[in-house]
Amino acid sequence: MDRQVMETDIVVTGFGPASAGFLLTLAPELAKTKEDGTPLYESKVMPGMPLQVMCYERADDTGFGVSGIVTKADAIRSTFPGVDLAKEIPNAADVTGEETAYLFDHLGCSKRSAGTKFIDACFKAGGVIMKGGEFNARELPFTPPFMDKRGGLVLNMGSFMGWAAGKVMETGMAQIWPGSPVAEPLFEGDKVVGVRMADQGVEKDGTPTDCYMPGMDVKASLTVVADGPVGAVGRVLDEKFGLPEGHSRYDWGVGMKAVVQLPESCKLEPGTVIHTLGFPEPEIFGFFYVHPNRTASMGIFVAPWQDTPVRTTYRYLQHWMMHPYIWRHIEGGTLVSWGAKSIQESGTEGEPFLCGDGYARIGEGSGTTDCLANAGVDEAWESGVMLAKNVLKLLSEGKDFTKANLESTYVAERRSSKLGRRLKKATNARAGFNKSFFWGMAGEGLCGMTGGLLHLGGLFKSVPPANRIPELYEAMQGRKCDREALAKGVSEAKKVRKPLHDAVMDACGWPEIPYDGKLLLLHQDALLIGGKVQAAPGFADHVRFADPDLCRKCTKQTCIEICSAQALMPADEDGEPPKFDREKCIHCGACIWNCAKLQPGTDKSNIVFTAGSGGLHSNEN
């Protein structure tokens, strides 16, 4: 069957902060006309009409996401001069207070190396100048200046993106199409000439059915790639062009997040920001942001530096929530929604080629995460604003969207901008964590306090996560663990075909979660509350295995352990690849970088993550 072809001027893949910044800078200018009434920026595909701009988003609506955000919001505010965004954006608040707390392991179950114990001792000895000791924590006397968000905004991703989408549509100069997964870019040689939408009417393995409808080809002069760190279009570009010499993307994190209705007893003001570190495992960081109407976004970040095949984001989230320092605020509350997302932690070290003939990249997938400030939303937005301004410049000069023209405008401005300089300073911020939590803390502090002049990047290099995942019993060496209980628990988990993390954590002394059906829910019950969107029928599975034989030989299967929604589970027979249930998948992408087997001769995961339907959003956001 022939594919339908549609021609437009600019096509944008993915609707997030970067594409919102791009569209809200570009669209108002497209409404301008010349003295004779003709468009100032005339469409090449529809002469006499303004430039035609299309944006395609995989999620079924623009208000997707269950992520809390705290941001300085400088770029976002510059897009809306004179607007009180805290009042304008639903669930937003000005930052009213900020604390950074080190949480002690009050249960005695986490992995504490000699270096971590030294850090514990330093914080315990600091009780004279730090508060929080009665809650098994210590509050730093100040938030490090490179992390300071005072004067910024607390936002909720779902509410914010839904609001931003409305602002784009109000202009009438750009269209946003949710529920429209883009499969891949279209090439003519090395030139990108548009995108291809995902095929519909196919079996889960991609076999066409009687209802087969091949994905439409959308041709455009410029393709703006803003589909995030695990987006299908960005991944195809990386596959074709590789990364610049010396660049790699080995540092990741998966954020497991929740929205909670706080109890009436909670006295925290809207705009309160709390950062945590040290628990439930030393390498796990946490956040707690308070919105209006007694709601809060909270969550943890799990990175590959734990060097263990057991990585449960959901149970770790619940143990973090139950830490006395956090629990005092949320006890008696209600879990409203939850979700997860992979985060690219490599920063500029993982920056791809920012442009080429016919395309430009913006947002997190282009390396805009500031690893020192633990920030990325305003930075992604700013990259979109920069590209839009330079697109208008090229249009006004009658120049094509070639690699040379985009490099001399967009890329040059990005390199020389405040954003570019901030990202450069943060390049080696995470290097120390590749050695240990102790060196990670030392390295990030050194990099942050010296503005990137001093760091540990020369000592500790990132490696593919797969190369640092040990076998289970090797990882348990030196840890407090009931070996008999561990062996029994692992054996029983394998018999009933479920992940191993509960068996391992139980053997290490982690207490059972006291599920109450209100705030502390079973993982499967959480899937049923606000957030999960069922995959539309007729699309192929978006998770598959490049070489099933590698999966058969894998004894770690970390992809199952990390899966945020238990969409990957052990196969029914030993030696088979994991089972994938897309009805549970929330598209966090954590399976990609937690795959324990690389394709031979490469640093590529054996898991192939493509365009797909379904995912996550929450109307409660």
Side-chain angles (χ1 to χ4, degrees), residues 98-109:
E98 186 175 23
E99 296 287 353
T100 301
Y102 186 88
L103 308 183
F104 299 120
D105 179 7
H106 61 297
L107 302 175
C109 303

Side-chain angles (χ1 to χ4, degrees), residues 471-472 494 500 550-557 597:
E471 296 290 348
L472 174 59
K494 289 183 176 180
L500 303 180
L550 286 179
C551 294
R552 295 186 181 100
K553 299 173 184 176
C554 182
T555 57
K556 302 166 186 175
Q557 297 200 330
K597 291 290 185 181

Side-chain angles (χ1 to χ4, degrees), residues 99-105 119-142 274-278 323 325 328:
E99 296 287 353
T100 301
Y102 186 88
L103 308 183
F104 299 120
D105 179 7
I119 294 176
D120 287 345
C122 290
F123 276 100
K124 288 177 180 178
V128 176
I129 59 172
M130 301 182 197
K131 301 182 297 181
E134 66 272 30
F135 301 109
N136 286 287
R138 283 283 188 265
E139 294 177 353
L140 275 66
F142 64 92
I274 300 173
H275 313 281
T276 74
L277 64 157
H323 189 282
Y325 186 80
R328 59 182 171 143

Side-chain angles (χ1 to χ4, degrees), residues 176-177 179 221 256 258 270 288 293 314 319 350 368 372 396 430 604:
I176 304 174
W177 291 88
S221 299
M256 173 63 78
F288 189 123
N293 303 315
Y314 190 71
H319 282 300
T368 55
L372 269 178
S396 65
R430 297 283 195 261
K604 299 171 186 173

Side-chain angles (χ1 to χ4, degrees), residues 58-59 64-66 338-340 530-533 585-587 614-618:
R58 174 197 56 76
F64 70 93
V66 190
W338 69 283
K532 182 68 187 73
V533 178
C585 179
I586 60 174
H587 294 250
L616 191 74
H617 82 278
S618 178

Side-chain angles (χ1 to χ4, degrees), residues 42-166:
E42 185 175 359
S43 171
K44 288 185 178 180
V45 298
M46 295 183 68
M49 297 291 289
L51 211 70
Q52 300 296 294
V53 182
M54 309 290 291
C55 177
Y56 295 102
E57 165 56 42
R58 174 197 56 76
D60 75 328
D61 70 22
T62 55
F64 70 93
V66 190
S67 180
I69 303 164
V70 61
T71 172
K72 295 293 280 189
D74 293 334
I76 298 171
R77 283 193 170 111
S78 68
T79 305
F80 305 99
V83 177
D84 188 341
L85 296 180
K87 294 180 179 178
E88 177 81 11
I89 302 172
N91 292 330
D94 291 313
V95 173
T96 56
E98 186 175 23
E99 296 287 353
T100 301
Y102 186 88
L103 308 183
F104 299 120
D105 179 7
H106 61 297
L107 302 175
C109 303
S110 64
K111 178 183 65 176
R112 316 300 277 193
S113 66
T116 304
K117 290 177 181 177
F118 174 76
I119 294 176
D120 287 345
C122 290
F123 276 100
K124 288 177 180 178
V128 176
I129 59 172
M130 301 182 197
K131 301 182 297 181
E134 66 272 30
F135 301 109
N136 286 287
R138 283 283 188 265
E139 294 177 353
L140 275 66
F142 64 92
T143 296
F146 51 87
M147 289 177 56
D148 192 347
K149 302 298 190 302
R150 287 175 296 179
L153 289 172
V154 167
L155 302 169
N156 178 277
M157 180 64 87
S159 301
F160 176 49
M161 294 315 304
W163 175 84

